[in-house]
Amino acid sequence: MATLYEGKMAAIYDAMYQTFVNYDEEYTFYNTIIKANNCKTTLEIGSGTGNLAKRFNENDQDYTGLDYSESMLAIARERNENCIFIQGDMRDFNLEKQVDSIIITGRSTSYLTTNEDLNETFASLYNNITEQGIIVFDFIDANRFIPFINENQKIIHQAEHDGMNYIRESNWETTSLDNFMLEWNAKYYTIINGEKNLIADDFSTVRVFTLNEMQLFLYLNNFEIIKTIDRKTYAYDTYVIAAKKKPL
Ligand SMILES: C[S@@+](CC[C@H](N)C(=O)[O-])C[C@H]1O[C@@H](n2cnc3c(N)ncnc32)[C@H](O)[C@@H]1O
């Protein structure tokens, strides 16, 4: 599990990702799919610091957020006093009532590092959506990501939030890990008067996926794909898949 979402890192994440991610666009993207499938209720998994929650709430939609990290949830709750947020693990959760749509956003699938994690997650999603319900999730495309990090030893992202300049330097190790798992080291700096000051040094293990293996995981977990979208999002190429329960 990443340390990126704990303690002071949650606030740093929140500040930097306001620059990286266009949350209005992100909301419109997911909401269009949700609406096209007549979904009235939505659970967002990996709801993070509640930036999408804010948009769902502003549009009076029936939204619940779920996240593993208490620190991320604390920021999300402060941002969205009217929203319901649940602390939970996507691999094993039970809602009181099934929902019409579950979205897993912001490449939170990267933290499902074993095949068991994926199977457990898809089984939980299956149990928590209605018969006509849908799931929508994104993941980093291994076929484009792995050549990219092989060619770029250090990947730098810059962000500006509330008058503060940030830099993130990422280094990805591909060696010796199964399942296209990667060791990600990210160093976070603030830039004050041209000086770089290290504010956090984060290590996490993440996984990237090929489209074919994700299709197979869905098949094995009784989902039928409705739509696959090749999507350029912040920093890395991703796929988004929308799927529904296979008819019995
Ligand atoms: C990259 S952040 C994305 C946050 C948000 N969707 C965004 O776009 O800003 C990934 C989020 O997934 C959460 N997460 C990681 N593993 C999880 C798990 N097993 N169950 C639930 N949430 C998890 C982390 O706590 C973190 O908030």
Side-chain angles (χ1 to χ4, degrees):
M1 179 53 67
T3 50
L4 178 58
Y5 310 115
E6 299 307 329
K8 72 168 184 176
M9 286 304 297
I12 296 169
Y13 172 96
D14 189 52
M16 292 191 78
Y17 277 67
Q18 303 282 337
T19 306
F20 294 162
V21 181
N22 181 335
Y23 287 104
D24 284 333
E25 216 172 72
E26 197 73 355
Y27 165 74
T28 304
F29 176 82
Y30 284 103
N31 195 39
T32 304
I33 301 174
I34 288 168
K35 287 274 148 70
N37 287 279
N38 302 315
C39 302
K40 302 271 181 287
T41 51
T42 299
L43 174 77
E44 182 192 8
I45 293 180
S47 49
T49 53
N51 284 298
L52 284 189
K54 181 167 173 268
R55 275 85 180 164
F56 279 98
N57 196 30
E58 280 166 359
N59 288 290
D60 290 327
Q61 285 164 278
D62 188 328
Y63 166 97
T64 303
L66 183 145
D67 203 282
Y68 194 78
S69 157
E70 286 289 6
S71 306
M72 298 292 268
L73 286 165
I75 297 175
R77 288 187 178 117
E78 203 177 310
R79 179 168 277 138
N80 304 283
E81 286 175 0
N82 306 327
C83 277
I84 298 169
F85 292 99
I86 303 168
Q87 194 281 328
D89 188 327
M90 64 178 119
R91 295 167 295 185
D92 181 19
F93 67 96
N94 269 307
L95 299 176
E96 275 172 23
K97 198 163 175 262
Q98 290 176 322
V99 287
D100 301 329
S101 56
I102 299 183
I103 60 178
I104 312 179
T105 58
R107 284 100 58 116
S108 303
T109 50
S110 309
Y111 298 102
L112 302 171
T113 53
T114 66
N115 288 2
E116 196 183 354
D117 287 342
L118 280 142
N119 287 325
E120 286 175 356
T121 299
F122 285 127
S124 290
L125 298 182
Y126 193 96
N127 292 334
N128 284 287
I129 54 166
T130 53
E131 274 319 298
Q132 305 305 318
I134 61 162
I135 59 169
V136 189
F137 62 95
D138 62 351
F139 61 93
I140 297 177
D141 175 23
N143 276 311
R144 285 175 285 182
F145 184 73
I146 290 184
F148 177 74
I149 56 170
N150 273 345
E151 284 153 27
N152 296 277
Q153 284 301 305
K154 198 194 271 180
I155 298 162
I156 297 174
H157 292 113
Q158 296 193 11
E160 194 272 331
H161 184 68
D162 268 355
M164 181 63 83
N165 290 307
Y166 298 90
I167 284 188
R168 179 175 77 184
E169 291 179 359
S170 294
N171 174 269
W172 300 84
E173 288 294 329
T174 47
T175 47
S176 78
L177 290 176
D178 295 337
N179 292 338
F180 301 124
M181 274 156 59
L182 306 150
E183 297 286 13
W184 176 29
N185 174 216
K187 288 187 166 43
Y188 292 81
Y189 301 90
T190 48
I191 308 291
I192 301 169
N193 300 328
E195 288 247 326
K196 250 167 89 178
N197 304 290
L198 184 68
I199 49 170
D201 193 356
D202 180 53
F203 285 91
S204 38
T205 305
V206 294
R207 178 174 176 181
V208 293
F209 302 92
T210 67
L211 181 56
N212 298 58
E213 69 183 330
M214 210 43 117
Q215 288 165 337
L216 198 50
F217 277 116
L218 287 166
Y219 168 80
L220 290 171
N221 286 283
N222 300 313
F223 280 102
E224 185 177 288
I225 294 176
I226 309 168
K227 202 170 186 179
T228 303
I229 301 160
D230 184 345
R231 189 167 186 232
K232 298 249 175 295
T233 47
Y234 121 81
Y236 309 117
D237 296 315
T238 62
Y239 282 111
V240 178
I241 294 184
K244 62 179 183 182
K245 290 181 179 180
K246 232 186 270 176
L248 291 175

